[in-house]
Amino acid sequence: MNLTFNSQGFQMDGRDAFLVSGEFHYFRVPQADWKRRMELFKEAGGNVIATYVPWLIHEPEEGTILFGDVPNRDLRAFLETAREVGLGVVLRPGPYQYSELINDGLPEWLVRDYPEVLAKNPAGEAFRYSSVSYLHPTFLEKARPYFKAFADVVRDFMGDPVVMLQVDNEATGIHIWFGSFDYNPETMGFGKPQGRYPAYLRHQYGSIAALNAAYGTDYADFCDLPVPDPDGMNRKNPAHARILRDYQNFYYATIGEYLTLLRSWLREDGLEAPICHNAASPDAAAYFVKTAEKMGDGFLLGTDHYYTLNQTWKQNNPTPQHAVRCFVSMETLRLMGMPPAVLEMPGGSPSDTPPILPEDLLAWYRTHVAFGMKGVNYYIYTGGPNFPGTGSTADIYDYNALVRADGSLNATYTAAHDIGNFMASHPWLQRAERKTAVQVGYDWEGLYADEYAPRGGTNEPAHKFLHKGVVHTLLCSRYAPELALLSGELDTAKPLIVPTDRYMAKATQQKLVDFVKAGGKLMLLGPIPAMDEAFMPCTILRDYMGVTASTNPPASDKPVTFENGQKVYQMRVVERLESLPADSELMAADGQTGKPVGIRKEETGTLLWFGLQWDMCLFVQAQTMERLLASLGAKPTVAASNRNLFTSLLAAPDGRQVLFIMNLYSGAQSTEISLFDGDTEKTLGSFDLAPMEVRIVEL
Amino acid sequence: MNLTFNSQGFQMDGRDAFLVSGEFHYFRVPQADWKRRMELFKEAGGNVIATYVPWLIHEPEEGTILFGDVPNRDLRAFLETAREVGLGVVLRPGPYQYSELINDGLPEWLVRDYPEVLAKNPAGEAFRYSSVSYLHPTFLEKARPYFKAFADVVRDFMGDPVVMLQVDNEATGIHIWFGSFDYNPETMGFGKPQGRYPAYLRHQYGSIAALNAAYGTDYADFCDLPVPDPDGMNRKNPAHARILRDYQNFYYATIGEYLTLLRSWLREDGLEAPICHNAASPDAAAYFVKTAEKMGDGFLLGTDHYYTLNQTWKQNNPTPQHAVRCFVSMETLRLMGMPPAVLEMPGGSPSDTPPILPEDLLAWYRTHVAFGMKGVNYYIYTGGPNFPGTGSTADIYDYNALVRADGSLNATYTAAHDIGNFMASHPWLQRAERKTAVQVGYDWEGLYADEYAPRGGTNEPAHKFLHKGVVHTLLCSRYAPELALLSGELDTAKPLIVPTDRYMAKATQQKLVDFVKAGGKLMLLGPIPAMDEAFMPCTILRDYMGVTASTNPPASDKPVTFENGQKVYQMRVVERLESLPADSELMAADGQTGKPVGIRKEETGTLLWFGLQWDMCLFVQAQTMERLLASLGAKPTVAASNRNLFTSLLAAPDGRQVLFIMNLYSGAQSTEISLFDGDTEKTLGSFDLAPMEVRIVEL
């Protein structure tokens, strides 16, 4: 089987096909049951299985690498079985696995005998027993022989059945989850002429004078810079914000260096196959933008989309809010040129409670297909007993998976069977696209730059508003959204909504002005940028709009009055103008003062600006967006009379269409649905949905 | 109608009856429809309606108090209608109402013309436009005439139909929600000989020397103390912790002063009726312990138990986790001697999305009856158009309520109708109690004292563990929990589980030792206290247990091994002993080192200690608790084969019983149920529950 992929989707042996993978742990499942469980997975529409190849399991003592001594270490036999059954295999040799193994799947001897490899906080202290510094020379030296031994085992299986290799797992997680980037001095090379951090800054700034100008410092050399400890800095100080943001970008650059190094080992050892990696959460894909650029073609970035793993999660079941996060996550992958793939899709949970229920799973799977998912890996499809002393959640690793540890079918297997066979019978959906009415501008710069929360990698207020305000509102409207990359080519065929922050890259500001001059319809929502990506004054947009004086007013409970006289409640005014700019029309006034909080400027195209943010809660918010988008010439897609039910219409180039209607709530709900031919509304009918039902309507 | 209540429950005209109240806003509902909607509420099992009497609405200009100029200000006519229909009325004249009115229901002129009344942060800055300092003399001076005018209107209706009066609304909320206690200098009197803060400390410490000893300071007088700004203090420093905790207790004491003052106004004006107040959230009831003591008999404290108000809440529907919070909330009220009442129970939401669905509402209502709720007020039962310019969420205040703003029945009305008629036909449940197997010790001291988060009023780790660990686990077990007040009399008839923290009141430590010596069965879970409530060394429990050396070990992913050889995963070791104390039996060993993390000491009674905390996620955690509780002689209550379904068995003194089985998930679930006669298990049968179904089984 030949697995290929491009921005259009996946292909198996050259034909369109969903990637339908299931996590199948040969080191846990009894060998005698491998074949039967593989066949069961094929019956559920599967075409690939995936497995970690845990360093912990295969190198129990340093230098003793075992790949065939006992059946559950016999990777060769596993690959032979998969070949016989006709399933592709994705292998994930780490070094990190997690996989509910102790030490995240690292050997006990490594973390016990080589504490110098541990990641450090800015004070130079290790912050966790099994979080290592990825590029530490000792860590790499110890991992290299394991990768080589792995390659010797799997080389003969490349292409058949091994169709893809994953490097590491959820990179950054072992640091960020525990509260810190990595500041291991040996890895980062603080103060050393060839050290990574000084070298990175030298490359970014060119001269120490340029860095001093940005940082407000007077270092003689890049080696003089101290460890940039966030605790000692004031994030509202632009110079400090630059220092912190540089470290953040540097840290993410080291992730790219690490993953490309792991790939080079695989290539050195003769393993040719596409390489993949999985971002740890729906918000994390953007951390890998530079990594994906560095990896280039043949690299698949996917994300992990759990809705619960234990009772401390925010929800026990799929919800519209979580669906919005996952929608944005998959759109982010699409903007990177990837076929959106969820490389860890819940197939169970390490917790007995809250339970993973078949209704929830099927709704979650269908929601993902609705929003454009092209490939999936169930985590996990099936498990079994752990090697003694290696489990971190159980001795028998059952995971409440689709096929239980004892080989019996879980009630949830039917959900995977249902969606798997739907995907198998609809390969044409690989070339389908969501029918959309409006673009939502997405800015890698904006996601990285953040003067408030420099460690997290996102600008919290703008990022939240993108999700909870803009995208959620559009999904409750008749104008389906797609994300659009502001650093790419902008298409004037559809209106463009840009959730803004107080800074925006200079080039982006100019591009948005040019977009309007070229006839584009632009809606800016939020503060009008006053700084560029380096936190330097930059007023290209403000100047174009003719804005001279404005304020960030305090909170108020008064409604905003729109140009048609309608008052809309529960919108936060985040910027208010002192007066209406010349050549502008008033579109919205602050309820407290009557001053402008929305304007319209016509040139060749149109610019609408509203200094507002909101969390979608009132239908009048969605209706207001519909009215404004109609005034920008947007063409509606699907209208649901019950706005609580999201819809998504997938259309292939040959005209085939499928509509999804999503009730991601615990009660039954009904709706009327209309489709559109241009502006002409055509009633499709009434739909009564059960609790947590996602209905598929073939048109 | 005569409404009375005591710790047993509510009585109407001397007969047991649920309090079934609905929020009915005469200032919004068209007068012509008052009677019909009241009758509809009686049909839904209601016996009382409640309404704010908003200062904002009735005193639009300072000094102009209007109570009958237009139908929607005609409170007299409203009371006459209620009397005619035969419904009791609860009136809530504020001064605060919230009620989705601007300025939280305060008059615009007050917050505009008297900014000195605003609450202040420690720096002396107002932190919000309509958060006032409750005891500020100007605020009280302005509110007093309004209360008097209110009294003049309602005096003739006391007893019939007015059965209860509420003072203020969700007190503390306007401060705490916006990040600060109130530090208004005029109100708190910093530095003034008769100022509240110096006077409070003088009363607490007796002498400045005693305060200096506790604070590590050398002030000459109580007036020398500065404003205690949390930002300038280190919470790990015991002296600072004392300062912060004193301010917290002082702040809560001012709430008691405020509410008793409001009551005195009502009494001065001739209004005799029980007084009530509502804590703002399931976690807030304990903030009012001192207030409730000060108010004495005839005071009803209730709480507000929403599960969603907008998409930023943690869940869209009832969940087991949220049910645990509300269970603890109602148990807290019971421990205060109150009949547990939810004074704001969702009857709608200010948001169109997420929707309030009938299945969710009915499940939520039934869950509350299952856990011992004796009275309820739906927020809201019905609304209508706001006075122009007074709404903060809408012009037409519909609230997606049980009866819509236009008078039509919402689909959710059926849920209220269902539970209302159940409550009306089961008045004997007022005297019923939950059948329980085990006590969980609850300590007001422990909830107030907190060196880590002194503003919030709870000890975060212990409080979380009480909910997510102890109570959640017991609700997944056959041993139903009740809370028990550690400062009260302890009953040795049932085992007592105490979730501990690093400090525990000296008297409580001694009481627990005495409990074991008197034959009690005690299980301590968590760190063994080493300090008392004043953060002074206090090792009564440690000495009794014979513990000499122990550590708080770093996190580990190894399982704990119990005395029966069973390994249990996903338990956090929070204290580990260096060696087994004399006269103790080893009950659990740390997976990392094999050292003791659990011991058993037998005297007349039994003491079990485990230095463990966990979030309930694995059924083996519940099974382990069952095994340990059986060893302490606990008698099982109800066993559900599907531990995801909570149960609650209510039993009246005359032997009548009702069993509740709760599926608070979005998918269908089944279970076998057994009841017990002593230790003898009796199968009740199989139950298949729909998504979000709470089944009532009359036994």
Side-chain angles (χ1 to χ4, degrees), chain A residues 314 353 360 395 569 644 666, chain B residues 314 353 360 395 569 644 666:
Chain A
K314 286 194 180 165
T353 193
D360 295 347
D395 289 333
Y569 288 85
N644 288 310
S666 51
Chain B
K314 286 193 181 167
T353 193
D360 295 347
D395 288 333
Y569 288 85
N644 289 309
S666 52

Side-chain angles (χ1 to χ4, degrees), chain A residues 237-534:
Chain A
N237 173 334
H240 288 186
R242 288 177 203 120
I243 295 170
L244 293 169
R245 188 177 157 216
D246 282 344
Y247 196 80
Q248 175 175 278
N249 288 348
F250 162 67
Y251 169 77
Y252 287 125
T254 68
I255 303 300
E257 181 182 350
Y258 173 57
L259 297 187
T260 48
L261 177 68
L262 295 178
R263 178 176 62 181
S264 75
W265 290 356
L266 297 171
R267 300 299 190 236
E268 282 168 22
D269 294 336
L271 305 188
E272 291 297 331
I275 302 290
C276 68
H277 186 75
N278 56 329
S281 78
D283 303 323
Y287 302 168
F288 293 89
V289 172
K290 295 287 179 194
T291 296
E293 282 174 13
K294 204 170 156 84
M295 296 289 276
D297 285 345
F299 174 64
L300 178 73
L301 182 76
T303 60
D304 298 349
H305 284 189
Y306 296 97
Y307 57 80
T308 180
L309 289 170
N310 60 55
Q311 58 146 313
T312 69
W313 280 54
K314 286 194 180 165
Q315 62 286 311
N316 293 341
N317 47 255
T319 63
Q321 297 96 310
H322 206 53
V324 167
R325 284 180 76 203
C326 292
F327 169 83
V328 171
S329 171
M330 287 193 289
E331 284 287 283
T332 307
L333 295 174
R334 191 179 62 76
L335 294 181
M336 288 186 194
M338 306 288 171
V342 178
L343 295 182
E344 292 190 25
M345 174 71 89
S349 155
S351 300
D352 297 325
T353 193
I356 300 292
L357 300 174
E359 295 92 333
D360 295 347
L361 272 194
L362 183 57
W364 197 230
Y365 296 162
R366 288 184 173 182
T367 295
H368 277 80
V369 175
F371 284 155
M373 180 183 75
K374 303 294 175 80
V376 61
N377 177 49
Y378 305 114
Y379 193 92
I380 62 170
Y381 165 61
T382 191
N386 278 310
F387 275 75
T390 65
S392 68
T393 58
D395 289 333
I396 306 294
Y397 183 76
D398 176 89
Y399 206 82
N400 296 292
L402 304 173
V403 172
R404 309 293 298 252
D406 65 6
S408 65
L409 293 190
N410 200 332
T412 52
Y413 174 84
T414 56
H417 192 278
D418 179 301
I419 197 71
N421 283 284
F422 175 83
M423 292 190 283
S425 61
H426 292 71
W428 58 271
L429 283 174
Q430 289 291 311
R431 286 173 197 266
E433 293 189 349
R434 290 177 52 254
K435 203 173 161 190
T436 66
V438 55
Q439 310 173 82
V440 176
Y442 198 75
D443 190 348
W444 304 134
E445 273 308 327
L447 288 169
Y448 274 100
D450 187 352
E451 69 192 291
Y452 304 104
R455 200 201 51 69
T458 63
N459 182 289
E460 194 66 16
H463 199 62
K464 263 194 179 164
F465 175 55
L466 173 85
H467 287 78
K468 293 180 175 293
V470 179
V471 171
H472 200 129
T473 302
L474 292 171
L475 288 171
C476 294
S477 83
R478 56 182 57 191
Y479 296 102
E482 64 180 90
L483 295 200
L485 198 52
L486 292 178
S487 55
E489 285 293 308
L490 295 180
D491 179 1
T492 57
K494 291 176 187 169
L496 172 66
I497 299 176
V498 179
T500 59
D501 212 306
R502 294 200 282 132
Y503 34 73
M504 180 185 284
K506 187 180 290 183
T508 306
Q509 294 197 32
Q510 187 59 52
K511 186 178 286 193
L512 292 179
V513 170
D514 295 342
F515 176 78
V516 177
K517 289 184 173 172
K521 311 289 189 178
L522 175 66
M523 190 190 300
L524 296 179
L525 294 173
I528 312 169
M531 289 179 283
D532 66 12
E533 71 274 34

Side-chain angles (χ1 to χ4, degrees), chain B residues 288-309:
Chain B
F288 294 88
V289 172
K290 296 287 179 194
T291 295
E293 283 174 12
K294 202 170 158 84
M295 296 289 276
D297 284 345
F299 174 64
L300 177 72
L301 182 75
T303 60
D304 299 348
H305 284 189
Y306 297 97
Y307 56 80
T308 180
L309 289 170

Side-chain angles (χ1 to χ4, degrees), chain A residues 101-104 108 128-130 309-321 350-355 357-360 389 391-395 467-469 472 476 555-559 567 569-570 592 615-620 643-644 663-669 691-692, chain B residues 101-104 108 128-130 309-321 350-355 357-360 389 391-395 467-469 472 476 555-559 567 569-570 592 615-620 643-644 663-669 691-692:
Chain A
L101 292 169
I102 58 167
N103 308 320
D104 308 317
E108 183 81 9
R128 187 163 165 270
Y129 59 97
S130 62
L309 289 170
N310 60 55
Q311 58 146 313
T312 69
W313 280 54
K314 286 194 180 165
Q315 62 286 311
N316 293 341
N317 47 255
T319 63
Q321 297 96 310
S351 300
D352 297 325
T353 193
L357 300 174
E359 295 92 333
D360 295 347
S392 68
T393 58
D395 289 333
H467 287 78
K468 293 180 175 293
H472 200 129
C476 294
S556 150
D557 51 17
K558 309 293 193 302
K567 288 191 283 179
Y569 288 85
Q570 303 198 42
Q592 190 80 32
D615 299 316
M616 169 68 203
C617 59
L618 300 178
F619 291 152
V620 66
R643 291 174 185 271
N644 288 310
N663 178 21
L664 301 177
Y665 292 99
S666 51
Q669 292 196 78
M692 204 51 70
Chain B
L101 292 168
I102 58 167
N103 308 318
D104 307 318
E108 182 80 9
R128 186 163 165 270
Y129 59 96
S130 62
L309 289 170
N310 60 54
Q311 59 146 312
T312 68
W313 280 54
K314 286 193 181 167
Q315 62 285 313
N316 294 341
N317 47 255
T319 62
Q321 297 96 311
S351 301
D352 297 325
T353 193
L357 300 175
E359 295 93 334
D360 295 347
S392 68
T393 59
D395 288 333
H467 287 79
K468 293 180 176 294
H472 200 129
C476 294
S556 150
D557 51 18
K558 309 292 194 302
K567 288 190 282 179
Y569 288 85
Q570 303 197 43
Q592 190 79 34
D615 300 316
M616 169 68 204
C617 61
L618 300 178
F619 291 151
V620 67
R643 292 175 185 270
N644 289 309
N663 178 20
L664 300 178
Y665 292 98
S666 52
Q669 293 196 80
M692 203 51 70

